[in-house]
Amino acid sequence: MTKLMGPRLFEVEQESIAPIPADARHGRSRELFTIWFGMNMTPLTVVTGATATTLLGLPMLSSIIAILLGHVIGGIGMALHAAQGPQLGVPQMLQARGQFGAKGASLIVVVAILMFVGYFSSNLIVSANSITELAPGLSGTGMIILCAVLSFVIAGFGYNLVRKVTELGAYIVGVLVLVSFVVLFLGGDFWAALTHGTFTWTGFFAMLAIGIVWQLTYAPYVSDYSRYMPANSGQRGAFWGTYLGCVTSSALLMVLGAGVGLAVTEADTMAGLHHILGPVLGAVVLVGFAFVAAAGNSVNAYCSALCALTLVETFVSGWRPRLKARLVTSLVLHLTGVVLALAATTSFASSYFSFLSVLLYILIPWSAVNLVDFYIIRHGSYAVDEFYAADGGRYGRWNAGALIVFGIGVLAQIPFMSTPFYTGPIATAMGGIDIAWLVGLTVSAVAYLAIARLAPALVRLHAGSTEPDLITE
């Protein structure tokens, strides 16, 4: 294991989207646990959890059940993507070329970039708000820029420093969260409000869906970190390390957020947490959250840069981006995230809730196609070198079958959608209950499996052939 101040920690990463060589592979499943445990230790997770008892008006027990179920279910799909990393050694969005074709995958890559930048901006806003809550005289704009600079420096060094900073954040905020729970439970406001709220199936399924989409939004880049794991470490370690770290931390902080939302009347969740903890302890917790969130935001920045490089490489044949390209791309994305954060502060809560809803409907079909292709159709066997071929190699430029299924999966969800800007007819008939995620997952998985079996040429499988692709580097 790399020591905290070891020579590799501050060694600038030279790799970007090329396959990770065998002699550069390192890490263990325990390190994946700390990466993803620390990744969720942010104010944004607490704010999202407060949605259950504030915007959705659920009682505490119902909120806990919905939060836990959502993360447990969504985490399965997310961790299955993580398990692909050690075997293929490439970023997740580049591996999507194996299902959608070289240019077809670019459609999914664009969605992923929008998602990463959106989460990056959201973390900037909530981190800055945590600091300005303590010192109202400080400039919110200045704090957003400061948080972005910290993220850029960490992401610039690359994988090793991003991993270690996130791991360190897991320990720091983990202790602060436990202290916050103790103080919350000792306070009378929480217990007095424990029975407040009204259970509705609409609210329950909305919070369930938030938990699922929270996990699935990590799916497009979980293997960006597991790709450095040794190939012989196996899929099992990558799956459980990622699953337990991500699900445990996100569920824990969302339950804390739900409790805070129930116990206080402040519109701002982090202000409410500060009120519960008191001036001194509250200041320590908010500063800790803000620092870890700003540093941990480098995870979004690092992966968004890999996605952007993948997108450009799709249309620039033979280009192999290295350090300079990664740094320039990261800088552009950071500037974009800052601009979005500054523009969104006035309507952050409603915009973010809508943002989560839209992501769910787009990510579900992609995830279903990817997982069915990897685990059922090709059994994890791909010709990795051909991901970089100008014509897409055996996977082609466009994979008609996968793109058709993706479109079917998105369309199938429309009647079941329940969002702030649109509610489908079936969701309306069900009283606003949103099960679009379940419909999209099922329809996409079954449709892709059917096409692969009945018309294998549509997904670029040779009919009647049982010979798998070869994993090459």
Side-chain angles (χ1 to χ4, degrees):
M1 179 179 177
T2 305
K3 294 182 179 179
L4 183 60
M5 298 300 293
R8 297 178 65 182
L9 185 59
F10 292 101
E11 178 184 345
V12 179
E13 180 187 10
Q14 300 298 317
E15 301 293 343
S16 62
I17 62 173
I20 304 301
D23 59 0
R25 300 290 191 95
H26 62 281
R28 292 177 291 178
S29 59
R30 183 174 66 84
E31 294 172 5
L32 284 179
F33 174 89
T34 54
I35 289 173
W36 293 105
F37 190 86
M39 175 60 185
N40 288 287
M41 290 290 176
T42 69
L44 185 60
T45 319
V46 180
V47 170
T48 304
T51 300
T53 52
T54 55
L55 292 179
L56 300 176
L58 291 171
M60 190 63 193
L61 180 59
S62 302
S63 299
I64 293 174
I65 295 173
I67 289 170
L68 293 180
L69 280 179
H71 288 287
V72 166
I73 294 171
I76 295 173
M78 177 274 300
L80 285 172
H81 288 289
Q84 299 170 0
Q87 186 163 351
L88 300 180
V90 297
Q92 182 71 69
M93 284 294 94
L94 196 138
Q95 189 260 334
R97 294 176 179 178
Q99 297 90 43
F100 293 88
K103 288 186 167 56
S106 64
L107 301 175
I108 314 301
V109 174
V110 169
V111 173
I113 293 172
L114 293 175
M115 181 192 72
F116 295 148
V117 174
Y119 268 93
F120 177 80
S121 302
S122 300
N123 272 313
L124 287 180
I125 294 170
V126 181
S127 299
N129 287 347
S130 295
I131 298 298
T132 55
E133 164 64 23
L134 298 174
L138 291 177
S139 166
T141 298
M143 293 310 304
I144 286 175
I145 294 174
L146 181 61
C147 290
V149 169
L150 177 61
S151 168
F152 175 73
V153 171
I154 297 171
F157 277 98
Y159 173 81
N160 283 330
L161 187 58
V162 170
R163 177 176 61 82
K164 185 55 67 175
V165 167
T166 310
E167 178 182 342
L168 181 61
Y171 296 119
I172 294 174
V173 181
V175 172
L176 298 179
V177 168
L178 291 177
V179 172
S180 299
F181 267 114
V182 171
V183 176
L184 178 65
F185 291 154
L186 291 176
D189 291 341
F190 172 75
W191 298 105
L194 194 59
T195 57
H196 291 183
T198 303
F199 175 83
T200 63
W201 284 110
T202 302
F204 182 85
F205 275 98
M207 198 63 212
L208 177 73
I210 288 175
I212 292 171
V213 71
W214 185 273
Q215 294 297 324
L216 288 180
T217 49
Y218 289 133
Y221 65 120
V222 283
S223 66
D224 291 4
Y225 291 91
S226 61
R227 83 189 200 279
Y228 266 96
M229 298 279 287
N232 60 4
S233 64
Q235 297 176 337
R236 186 182 299 273
F239 176 92
W240 285 112
T242 305
Y243 181 86
L244 293 175
C246 199
V247 170
T248 301
S249 59
S250 54
L252 189 67
L253 263 70
M254 285 199 187
V255 169
L256 175 63
V260 171
L262 196 68
V264 299
T265 57
E266 283 89 344
D268 184 90
T269 304
M270 298 312 292
L273 181 60
H274 187 202
H275 171 78
I276 291 172
L277 297 176
V280 178
L281 181 58
V284 172
V285 171
L286 262 63
V287 169
F289 264 123
F291 170 76
V292 171
N297 215 9
S298 58
V299 174
N300 286 310
Y302 175 79
C303 295
S304 62
L306 295 184
C307 279
L309 292 173
T310 298
L311 181 64
V312 175
E313 192 270 346
T314 302
F315 301 97
V316 183
S317 178
W319 181 56
R320 290 294 181 269
R322 299 289 291 177
L323 174 61
K324 182 179 178 180
R326 183 172 65 82
L327 292 178
V328 171
T329 302
S330 182
L331 178 60
V332 171
L333 291 169
H334 273 82
L335 292 174
T336 303
V338 168
V339 171
L340 289 175
L342 295 176
T345 51
T346 56
S347 57
F348 170 67
S350 60
S351 299
Y352 178 61
F353 189 77
S354 300
F355 174 66
L356 282 176
S357 302
V358 173
L359 284 180
L360 176 65
Y361 306 124
I362 297 175
L363 288 175
I364 283 287
W366 162 77
S367 181
V369 168
N370 177 275
L371 295 178
V372 169
D373 189 77
F374 186 93
Y375 289 101
I376 300 178
I377 304 301
R378 302 184 198 270
H379 303 289
S381 182
Y382 294 84
V384 174
D385 284 347
E386 298 194 30
F387 291 164
Y388 303 88
D391 62 354
R394 71 183 66 189
Y395 307 108
R397 292 186 175 90
W398 303 90
N399 189 320
L403 292 169
I404 289 171
V405 171
F406 181 79
I408 291 173
V410 172
L411 293 174
Q413 297 175 82
I414 293 177
F416 300 89
M417 291 180 178
S418 180
T419 72
F421 50 85
Y422 172 79
T423 300
I426 297 180
T428 300
M430 297 174 64
I433 295 176
D434 189 338
I435 59 169
W437 59 272
L438 180 59
V439 174
L441 183 65
T442 304
V443 169
S444 301
V446 172
Y448 189 77
L449 186 59
I451 288 179
R453 299 301 190 200
L454 301 176
L458 277 178
V459 291
R460 294 189 172 269
L461 288 171
H462 299 293
S465 174
T466 58
E467 181 180 353
D469 295 340
L470 299 177
I471 301 179
T472 58
E473 297 182 358

